Amino acid sequence: MTGHAVVIVGGGPTGLMLAGELALAEVDVAVVERRPNQDLAGARAGGLHARTLEVLDQRGIAGRFLAEGQVAQVAGFAGTRLDISDFPTRHPYGLGLWQNHIERILAGWVAELAVTFYRGCEVTGLAQDGTGVGLHLKDGRTLRGDYVVGCDGGRSLVRKAAGIGFPGWEPTTSALIAEVEMTGQPEFGVHRNAFGIHSFGRREYKIVDGKVVYADSGPVGVMVTEEHVGPATEPTLADLSAALIAACGTDYGAHSPTWISRFTDMTRQAAAYRSGRILLAGDAAHVHAPDGGQGLNIGVQDAVNLGWKLGQVVHGTAPDGLLDTYHAERHPVAARVLRNTMAQSALRRPDPRIEAAGEVVAELLGMEEPRRRFAAMQSGLDVHYDVGEGHPLLGRRMPDVELAAREGPRTVYSLLHDARPVLLNFGVPGAFDNLPRPPRVKLVDAEYGGAWKLPALGEVPAPAAVLVRPDGHVAWVGGGSDAGLREALARWFGPATPLASVPSL
């Protein structure tokens, strides 16, 4: 039996991001993936929100995605586009980039790190005991992990094997999405009629003056609402043809599908993100309608919240209880996404009364305060973890401000590339030099004289010092002294050493 400190089941965006995080924490991590390679048939999900781009910036890899994607205003609610170009972030936009490219770029990053892959392998069962989890593979082999993380989608075998409940709501509507060749020419764009919403486009496109301009040739991407909720079986070309004829009066000669899939507004969330040594992330922990394009994004953010915590527990530098903060912090985030996607899917129903409600919502979102509030929510920039009372920065994402440090100009996120926590001192240089701290915590004396601004909240008081977690969220804010700092360091990063082994920067 082959053993690893952590085994991740599922090599999609969430699993890849988590593998990278654990590798940066110097954890022996392996990924088990059913596909023989990273190739993904079709395009699937199509974008990254602003907070996800910030997360990738924290690891120094955002540029890889920006080089291939289309920058655009992608945040929206129930069909109302929400402009975040005035938000205080280096990425006041989203990125149009299909999931197959997102996975390829993430896999390229992970390949540069120490991660073991078991490709073309399927997990058929698992069982945990007091020291780890045993996994059975379809080919008869067995693996063992001190911990196992299920990143294996909405039908997660890991979740089921762990006995974790998945309460929620059954689907009330379904739609087919596909990529097919067509002999006819549909009108590209999003359309609404008495039947529902349907859309057509091509994988290759450009954004010109805020509008999507599709390529002149190539497979056509289709989304069409079905007359009735479809079965939980794999859809066929015949299903797609029938749905198109019902909704549009023709199937446009659809043939030679690259892929066909079905999505619904089923809404479920794992009752617990952890059961002993088994944890869940991404779609294995939460499924919902795709409205707002949030699923892939919150999965990646799940991974970044979990990775450094699991790394510290594996290394014994933090107690096992630190893993409970993963559920405590991420479960409410997904619960809010479930709530807003249910609202959005309800507002797209083809009913005059629902349409009237949607028009009212659109009017409200045209006002400044609702626009800022909902745009921050949909882009992921307003996530706030409960780490205690105090300064408005506490529990929120650290702004990526320009710092004047001893080594020269730096940005905050450049200090997080190695996924280590950072203690930023904006007061008297050397004020924390003699403070015992955990070995992985970097101390940086820096200056910043600009305004401190947060999305939706606006300007907040300048901190004297800030403790930033590896996921970019603020764990402690100083007001001119080190009051509470020792407790925050111990809570999040384990015991201090008498003399810090990491020099100040």
Side-chain angles (χ1 to χ4, degrees):
M1 179 182 294
T2 305
H4 300 276
V6 178
V7 176
I8 298 168
V9 181
T14 300
L16 289 170
M17 192 73 210
L18 180 58
E21 293 292 293
L22 289 167
L24 289 174
E26 300 179 345
V27 168
D28 171 21
V29 56
V31 178
V32 180
E33 167 57 43
R34 287 187 298 178
R35 290 174 289 170
N37 52 52
Q38 204 62 50
D39 292 346
L40 183 67
R44 310 292 166 148
L48 299 173
H49 281 298
R51 180 53 188 157
T52 307
L53 290 171
E54 287 190 337
V55 163
L56 297 171
D57 226 349
Q58 290 171 187
R59 299 300 176 256
I61 58 175
R64 305 186 189 194
F65 298 85
L66 291 167
E68 297 195 29
Q70 295 279 336
V71 169
Q73 294 299 326
V74 302
F77 187 89
T80 299
R81 190 64 61 207
L82 301 171
D83 192 336
I84 65 169
S85 59
D86 61 341
F87 274 23
T89 169
R90 289 188 192 280
H91 304 287
Y93 45 73
L95 190 70
L97 186 64
W98 296 117
Q99 182 175 334
N100 56 334
H101 297 304
I102 293 170
E103 287 198 21
R104 173 177 52 78
I105 298 168
L106 272 176
W109 172 58
V110 173
E112 299 166 8
L113 306 172
V115 177
T116 300
F117 277 87
Y118 296 91
R119 296 194 182 275
C121 296
E122 184 175 352
V123 176
T124 57
L126 55 86
Q128 69 170 313
D129 53 39
T131 60
V133 183
L135 300 96
H136 299 279
L137 304 184
K138 192 173 184 178
D139 62 8
R141 288 184 296 169
T142 58
L143 293 176
R144 185 170 177 82
D146 297 339
Y147 291 87
V148 166
V149 184
C151 300
D152 52 339
R155 300 175 182 176
S156 173
L157 180 145
V158 173
R159 185 189 65 241
K160 294 172 184 176
I164 297 174
F166 204 42
W169 296 268
E170 291 294 334
T172 64
T173 183
S174 67
L176 295 175
I177 52 175
E179 204 171 69
V180 295
E181 298 289 345
M182 286 185 167
T183 57
Q185 180 62 55
E187 181 183 354
F188 289 162
V190 179
H191 312 283
R192 180 190 293 267
N193 58 21
F195 197 86
I197 293 176
H198 52 280
S199 66
F200 302 94
R202 284 198 171 98
R203 188 192 305 183
E204 302 301 326
Y205 65 91
K206 294 181 180 180
I207 297 175
V208 181
D209 296 329
K211 296 182 179 180
V212 178
V213 178
Y214 293 101
D216 294 331
S217 62
V220 176
V222 179
M223 191 282 284
V224 58
T225 302
E226 295 184 280
E227 185 174 5
H228 305 290
V229 176
T233 55
E234 290 298 320
T236 65
L237 181 61
D239 294 327
L240 178 66
S241 179
L244 283 169
I245 291 171
C248 307
T250 176
D251 67 359
Y252 299 100
H255 65 95
S256 305
T258 304
W259 59 274
I260 306 174
S261 185
R262 175 180 283 115
F263 72 83
T264 74
D265 64 344
M266 181 174 69
T267 304
R268 296 185 178 279
Q269 186 175 22
Y273 282 16
R274 179 192 182 197
S275 175
R277 291 175 173 269
I278 299 174
L279 300 108
L280 305 174
D283 289 352
H286 39 73
V287 295
H288 49 81
D291 300 70
Q294 301 166 91
L296 183 153
N297 289 269
I298 64 169
V300 169
Q301 293 164 38
D302 284 347
V304 175
N305 183 284
L306 174 61
W308 64 274
K309 296 173 180 177
L310 184 53
Q312 291 184 165
V313 171
V314 166
H315 288 307
T317 56
D320 181 79
L322 180 64
L323 293 178
D324 294 330
T325 69
Y326 169 60
H327 172 96
E329 292 183 345
R330 293 304 296 174
H331 193 277
V333 172
R336 187 175 65 161
V337 170
L338 266 59
R339 176 174 174 265
N340 79 53
T341 53
M342 283 196 293
Q344 292 181 78
S345 62
L347 287 171
R348 59 177 160 85
R349 296 183 187 280
D351 177 278
R353 292 171 179 81
I354 298 298
E355 289 178 10
E359 290 170 1
V360 171
V361 169
E363 283 185 33
L364 290 171
L365 292 177
M367 302 175 186
E368 182 62 9
E369 174 59 23
R371 191 271 303 183
R372 296 181 66 84
R373 184 181 296 268
F374 273 73
M377 175 179 69
Q378 295 298 107
S379 61
L381 291 171
D382 73 338
V383 171
H384 179 209
Y385 301 141
D386 183 8
V387 299
E389 299 293 328
H391 194 282
L393 280 172
L394 273 173
R396 291 186 167 86
R397 51 173 280 286
M398 177 68 178
D400 189 24
V401 297
E402 293 274 0
L403 305 174
R406 186 178 304 172
E407 291 186 341
R410 302 287 297 271
T411 64
V412 171
Y413 290 178
S414 70
L415 297 171
L416 296 172
H417 286 181
D418 57 0
R420 287 170 50 189
V422 180
L423 175 58
L424 286 168
N425 171 37
F426 298 110
V428 177
F432 298 116
D433 283 358
N434 295 321
L435 177 76
R437 63 186 191 274
R440 285 185 61 81
V441 177
K442 294 186 286 188
L443 172 59
V444 179
D445 289 332
E447 296 179 3
Y448 174 67
W452 290 84
K453 296 180 179 180
L454 294 173
L457 290 185
E459 191 164 344
V460 300
V466 180
L467 178 61
V468 185
R469 307 189 322 188
D471 60 1
H473 283 258
V474 176
W476 172 85
V477 178
S481 72
D482 63 1
L485 177 55
R486 288 175 174 82
E487 292 78 5
L489 287 167
R491 175 187 179 188
W492 296 109
F493 310 119
T497 55
L499 292 175
S501 60
V502 181
S504 301
L505 298 180

